[in-house]
């Protein structure tokens, strides 16, 4: 019974995600769903990328959290439009929540929309939100076994960002293992290493997003 219910929920979610996607396409907004564990550094990554994207694309952010507005306040402090979704304890964002959030953003003044999902490596993977690109942030302090432990999350990633590389020397994290495991799951996924706090690798990641958005525009005629 439970399985049937879960399938129906996902089907309803997918329909709303398609509508979100159409709305974003019409407005020329490239949406990036950011996933990862609590503390992986998703919000810090957005803050770091914003500096490199400034003047190139206009950014907006949807922040998903259980209760607080701490993360959206961090984003607003950068002068970027941010909408907070509080899931009221729910462990993932769904397309319906994103649909409401999109309505309170001025899409005409945004080129690139980051959707900072609830910190969670499990069920967030199953809910498409209407995004064009999925980034999974994995920090080296979480360990290098996460790709094999949470395959749905990593299989559906367009990019895996390995964060906190400034701390790697204090851990037994193997970047080679993550690259190998990811290649077996999804050979198309790009694995890119950064230190969001120190800034290493952020310029290259910002370039990847700008190029990705341009390729999407060129292919869709948006
Ligand atoms: Zn959940």
């Amino acid at each position: 019974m439970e399985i049937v219910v879960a399938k129906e929920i996902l089907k309803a979610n997918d329909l709303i995600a398609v509508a979100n996607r159409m709305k974003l396409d019409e407005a020329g907004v490239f949406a990036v769903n950011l996933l990862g564990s609590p503390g992986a550094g998703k919000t810090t990554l957005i803050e770091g990328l914003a500096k490199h994207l400034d003047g190139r694309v206009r950014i907006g952010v949807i922040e998903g959290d259980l209760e607080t507005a701490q993360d959206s306040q961090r984003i607003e402090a950068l002068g970027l439009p941010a909408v907070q979704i509080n899931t009221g304890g729910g462990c993932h964002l769904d397309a319906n929540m994103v649909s409401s959030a999109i309505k309170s953003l001025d899409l005409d003044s945004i080129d690139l929309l980051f959707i900072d999902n609830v910190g969670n490596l499990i069920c967030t993977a199953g809910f498409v939100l209407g995004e064009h690109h999925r980034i999974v942030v994995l920090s080296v302090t979480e360990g290098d076994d996460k790709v094999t432990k949470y395959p749905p999350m990593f299989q559906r990633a367009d990019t895996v960002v390995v964060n906190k590389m400034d701390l790697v020397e204090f851990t037994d994290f193997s970047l080679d293992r993550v690259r190998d495991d990811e290649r077996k799951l999804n050979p198309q996924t790009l694995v890119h290493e950064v230190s969001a706090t120190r800034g290493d690798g952020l310029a290259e990641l910002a370039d990847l997003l700008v190029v990705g958005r341009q390729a999407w525009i060129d292919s869709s005629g948006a």
Side-chain angles (χ1 to χ4, degrees):
M1 272 310 260
E2 293 248 321
I3 294 166
V4 173
V5 171
K7 270 188 184 160
E8 289 304 315
I9 291 170
L10 285 174
K11 209 191 289 173
N13 181 78
D14 289 357
L15 289 174
I16 302 168
V18 168
N20 288 348
R21 176 74 175 254
M22 282 171 66
K23 211 174 273 180
L24 294 163
D25 285 351
E26 273 171 32
V29 177
F30 187 67
V32 177
N33 188 1
L34 271 174
L35 308 118
S37 300
K42 299 191 301 295
T43 311
T44 308
L45 184 70
I46 295 171
E47 289 172 322
L49 284 171
K51 289 175 204 153
H52 292 278
L53 293 167
D54 188 31
R56 302 166 77 189
V57 288
R58 298 165 301 166
I59 299 172
V61 182
I62 294 174
E63 282 289 343
D65 272 303
L66 301 187
E67 306 284 353
T68 70
Q70 289 165 15
D71 286 350
S72 61
Q73 285 159 3
R74 281 169 65 183
I75 299 301
E76 280 174 343
L78 298 173
L80 302 175
V83 176
Q84 183 74 44
I85 299 174
N86 284 134
T87 60
C91 48
H92 57 267
L93 292 183
D94 65 32
N96 199 32
M97 297 173 193
V98 170
S99 170
S100 309
I102 286 174
K103 282 179 195 142
S104 48
L105 282 168
D106 176 17
L107 292 183
D108 291 334
S109 65
I110 295 171
D111 303 313
L112 181 63
L113 177 66
F114 287 113
I115 305 170
D116 191 353
N117 215 314
V118 178
N120 172 342
L121 277 181
I122 306 169
C123 58
T124 48
F127 286 83
V128 290
L129 306 175
E131 71 270 26
H132 302 92
H133 194 92
R134 272 192 179 203
I135 292 180
V136 177
V137 183
L138 170 66
S139 60
V140 300
T141 48
E142 293 168 62
D144 55 15
D145 58 352
K146 294 297 174 287
V147 178
T148 47
K149 274 192 168 170
Y150 300 96
M153 175 63 64
F154 287 91
Q155 190 176 17
R156 292 170 197 172
D158 295 299
T159 304
V160 171
V161 172
V162 178
N163 189 25
K164 306 190 186 177
M165 281 301 290
D166 51 311
L167 301 178
V168 75
E169 61 184 294
F170 306 111
T171 71
D172 57 1
F173 185 93
S174 163
L175 192 58
D176 286 341
R177 175 176 177 190
V178 167
R179 287 189 188 281
D180 285 348
D181 290 345
E182 185 63 47
R183 200 176 299 122
K184 282 174 209 150
L185 266 186
N186 185 345
Q188 314 280 11
T189 305
L190 181 83
V191 177
H192 181 74
E193 50 204 275
V194 305
S195 163
T197 51
R198 209 164 61 183
D200 311 349
L202 294 185
E204 294 81 359
L205 185 57
D207 288 348
L208 283 169
L209 290 174
V210 171
V211 168
R213 176 176 180 272
Q214 192 57 50
W216 164 68
I217 289 171
D218 293 345
S219 67
S220 67

